[in-house]
């Protein structure tokens, strides 16, 4: 069975948590595509050329320290606006999406560019304030200099860049379902997503 669940949306909307849980529920493979851009950005911060860094990604790059920092997130958003960087990463993502056994991918352009034929497309969002509060709760124990205002500013800057770029901008795919998680906790969001996926006839083939 080939079955792709594409999950797009802005930063810290809960896409990753939802995508991982959905993959586990249905026994599908899961890919956090933001990690590809973060791992590339990390190598660029080490001095590599962005396109060369994207082409040379290896599994070791995905387990490095610091991939989740705001600095690497901003770097990822910047190199993600470069068409040649995106081109270097597209083939791997498309093969992952159409593998046998089902796949869940989360990112910004999964339903629009990577896998327009995805059986299910979700656009997961939440208000800026809710997203910032969630991210702040996640990082404030580790990062003592973080403030809610700085986290909010960081998310807004990144979203604007990701939305305004010319290549593969973050937009809701026309045939995607909007899931606003502002008033939902992770298990409520998962229940809604499972209900959407479970009735798709493609699951039975
Ligand atoms: O999902 P994330 O916040 O870890 O992603 C980091 C950055 O990578 C994000 O700001 C934009 C970029 N990205 C992208 O352009 N396309 C994707 N499919 C995933 C991430």
């Amino acid at each position: 069975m080939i079955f792709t669940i594409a999950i797009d949306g802005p930063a810290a909307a809960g896409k990753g948590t939802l995508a991982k849980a959905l993959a586990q529920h249905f026994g599908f493979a899961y890919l956090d595509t933001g990690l590809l851009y973060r791992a590339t950005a990390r190598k660029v911060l080490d001095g590599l050329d962005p396109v060369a860094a994207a082409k040379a990604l290896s599994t070791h790059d995905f387990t490095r320290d610091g991939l989740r920092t705001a600095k690497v997130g901003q770097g990822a958003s910047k190199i993600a606006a470069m068409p040649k960087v995106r081109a270097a990463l597209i083939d791997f993502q498309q093969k992952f999406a159409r593998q046998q056994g089902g796949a869940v991918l989360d990112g910004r352009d999964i339903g629009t560019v990577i896998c327009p034929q995805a059986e299910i497309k979700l656009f997961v969002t939440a208000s800026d304030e809710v997203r910032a509060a969630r991210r702040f709760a996640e990082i404030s124990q580790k990062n003592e200099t973080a403030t809610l205002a700085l986290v909010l500013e960081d998310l807004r800057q990144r979203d604007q860049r990701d939305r305004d770029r010319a290549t593969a901008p973050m937009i809701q795919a026309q045939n995607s379902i909007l899931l606003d998680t502002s008033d939902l906790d992770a298990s409520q969001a998962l229940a809604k997503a499972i209900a959407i996926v479970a009735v798709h006839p493609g699951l039975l083939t």
Side-chain angles (χ1 to χ4, degrees):
M1 178 199 55
I2 291 177
F3 193 103
T4 310
I5 303 176
I7 303 187
D8 292 304
K15 303 185 301 292
T17 306
L18 178 65
K20 222 177 289 169
L22 264 184
Q24 195 175 15
H25 180 87
F26 289 102
F28 289 3
Y30 166 58
L31 181 65
D32 167 7
T33 66
L35 205 53
L36 303 176
Y37 294 92
R38 286 176 182 269
T40 301
R42 186 75 186 74
K43 289 168 87 119
V44 172
L45 289 170
D46 291 340
L48 263 77
D49 164 75
V51 179
K55 285 184 176 163
L57 282 183
S58 72
T59 48
H60 156 78
D61 296 315
F62 304 127
T63 56
R64 291 182 66 180
D65 285 344
L67 291 178
R68 299 279 166 202
T69 63
K71 186 174 175 192
V72 172
Q74 287 287 350
S77 170
K78 286 178 191 159
I79 57 109
M82 300 173 183
K84 285 184 179 163
V85 167
R86 304 198 74 84
L89 299 173
I90 201 166
D91 194 47
F92 172 73
Q93 294 176 81
Q94 289 184 331
K95 288 203 173 98
F96 192 96
R98 298 315 265 171
Q99 68 183 284
Q100 280 294 339
V104 185
L105 292 84
D106 79 90
R108 305 292 187 288
D109 64 337
I110 309 304
T112 50
V113 173
I114 300 300
C115 195
Q117 71 274 47
E119 280 70 17
I120 299 283
K121 297 181 188 180
L122 301 176
F123 194 83
V124 178
T125 189
S127 71
D128 293 3
E129 289 72 19
V130 166
R131 293 187 293 119
R134 285 184 192 153
R135 181 55 54 92
F136 180 65
E138 237 173 67
I139 65 171
S140 55
Q141 288 113 334
K142 283 177 269 171
N143 180 352
E144 283 161 14
T145 58
T147 66
L148 186 58
L150 281 174
V151 172
L152 180 62
E153 173 60 23
D154 177 62
L155 293 183
R156 282 185 169 152
Q157 236 183 44
R158 207 143 63 81
D159 289 343
Q160 189 176 3
R161 193 184 299 109
D162 296 342
R163 213 181 284 123
D164 290 351
R165 69 184 175 220
T167 306
M170 170 180 70
I171 38 164
Q172 186 182 348
Q174 270 185 352
N175 51 352
S176 73
I177 297 166
L178 183 68
L179 189 59
D180 188 325
T181 68
S182 301
D183 298 318
L184 303 177
D185 65 23
S187 63
Q188 290 169 322
L190 176 63
K192 283 201 180 243
I194 288 174
I196 292 166
V197 177
V199 294
H200 194 287
L203 273 184
L204 306 171
T205 57

